[in-house]
Amino acid sequence: MRRAASALLLTALAAMAADTRRSGFDDLSPALQALQRDDTQNPGQLWVQEGQALWSRAPAQGRACVACHATDTLPPIAASFPRFDPAAARPLTLSASIDRCRVRHQHAAVQGPDGAEVLAHAAYLGHLARGRPLQPDTHRALDAWQARGETLYRQRLGQLDLACLHCHDQRAGLRLGGARIPQGHPTGYPAYRLEWQALGSLQRRLRNCVTGVRAEAWAPQADEWLALEVYLARRAAGMALEVPAVRP
Ligand code: HEC
Ligand code: HEC
């Protein structure tokens, strides 16, 4: 019995020691790390505040978010996406579920992950779940999406003929131009990027990587983004959420 328990402990310790995953935060300069850490300085906090205000604001038609989601029941959910949506039989991102409630209950139009209100809601909900381990849905129906995402991750793209894997697994930590190549974990999104002078979604970040290798980006609604998001979230499972992150 004792032997089994200590074997279990050793296995757990080995798994911890073998976890070499690093968040993009770890590869930031000390100045940017300080900016991300300090809520009074982090520019992403402007979106968090806007999201907090929107949460309880009654729309022209329909109901405020807070009317249905008591503020203390919804907050920790941001770390549990993408989820499997049984009705659509597809993965559902946090942004998409925000949009769905805006459309259903506030008579709003779909904005997509980089719409102003969706970004603000996602920043607010992400911030409330900050520090929680990423726990994307383990529903088996998402396994095929994960596999498809992994295939994309390993597939060479664009004129540079590079796969995500070549940069984020094989060259992580090295410099590319001015930037240090991170491992490519989605823990900080939506994130404030200095280059954008704005908060942006994970999809926007991925689009930058795809066009960065001179490939044509998929259409905004394309399944490829969703498959990559499922794969990346599962690859980062257990890492702490750090919304809103600051990136160069
Ligand atoms: C040529 C190298 C290269 C390729 C190929 C590449 N990326 Fe990136 N990626 C980068 C660099 C460099 C950054 C960080 C840029 C910065 O923050 O200034 C980045 C950032 C990211 C981030 C954000 C990480 C964070 O902590 O903010 C994710 C996620 C990501 N990439 C995913 C992908 C995916 C998925 C693919 C394939 C579709 C891909 N990348 C292809 C170089 C690459
Ligand atoms: C009229 C009630 C109502 C309003 C108003 C409402 N929601 Fe929802 N919301 C729901 C219901 C019901 C679900 C579960 C939907 C489902 O699973 O099909 C849900 C699900 C969600 C989810 C997915 C998380 C989960 O636990 O399922 C998010 C995120 C969310 N809502 C955000 C919002 C935001 C942001 C607003 C304001 C813009 C909002 N909701 C307004 C009723 C509402």
Side-chain angles (χ1 to χ4, degrees):
M1 192 60 197
R2 275 214 2 237
R3 204 128 141 231
S6 62
L8 210 68
L9 183 67
L10 280 178
T11 315
L13 284 174
M16 277 162 72
D19 191 349
T20 53
R21 293 177 304 175
R22 295 162 59 81
S23 135
F25 177 84
D26 299 322
D27 291 312
L28 291 180
S29 67
L32 284 188
Q33 287 188 343
L35 192 62
Q36 176 171 324
R37 264 203 214 102
D38 183 350
D39 283 353
T40 67
Q41 300 288 320
N42 181 335
Q45 289 295 333
L46 295 172
W47 279 262
V48 172
Q49 283 161 23
E50 173 65 16
Q52 183 171 17
L54 276 176
W55 189 256
S56 45
R57 190 179 301 159
Q61 290 180 59
R63 303 171 69 187
C65 316
V66 74
C68 295
H69 303 292
T71 332
D72 54 349
T73 55
L74 198 50
I77 60 152
S80 63
F81 285 86
R83 285 190 184 172
F84 180 63
D85 174 13
R90 287 167 62 78
L92 183 72
T93 60
L94 175 62
S95 306
S97 65
I98 291 169
D99 244 341
R100 192 168 69 173
C101 273
R102 292 179 60 258
V103 170
R104 277 189 190 160
H105 307 301
Q106 301 194 334
H107 304 274
V110 171
Q111 284 190 337
D114 284 290
E117 292 189 4
V118 172
L119 268 180
H121 282 299
Y124 174 55
L125 293 174
H127 175 70
L128 288 171
R130 189 166 64 172
R132 286 178 185 265
L134 214 67
Q135 282 177 322
D137 197 344
T138 53
H139 198 295
R140 287 179 62 184
L142 292 183
D143 292 356
W145 287 83
Q146 176 186 3
R148 182 161 179 205
E150 180 164 8
T151 303
L152 287 168
Y153 188 85
R154 298 170 164 274
Q155 178 179 306
R156 290 177 181 273
L157 292 173
Q159 287 175 26
L160 298 195
D161 204 28
L162 287 171
C164 322
L165 165 109
H166 292 127
C167 285
H168 292 300
D169 286 6
Q170 297 178 359
R171 293 181 178 78
L174 303 179
R175 289 195 168 272
L176 182 75
R180 197 177 283 281
I181 303 177
Q183 290 183 347
H185 295 298
T187 47
Y189 291 81
Y192 184 89
R193 233 188 133 198
L194 301 182
E195 191 179 311
W196 297 332
Q197 293 285 300
L199 200 78
S201 70
L202 178 61
Q203 188 186 113
R204 184 174 179 188
R205 172 63 256 182
L206 299 183
R207 208 183 314 129
N208 280 195
C209 279
V210 169
T211 54
V213 293
R214 310 234 178 90
E216 201 181 315
W218 302 289
Q221 312 296 335
D223 286 351
E224 279 85 350
W225 303 119
L226 264 184
L228 276 172
E229 287 203 27
V230 171
Y231 171 65
L232 290 175
R234 288 188 168 187
R235 175 173 170 262
M239 296 177 75
L241 211 66
E242 42 162 334
V243 179
V246 175
R247 295 291 185 263

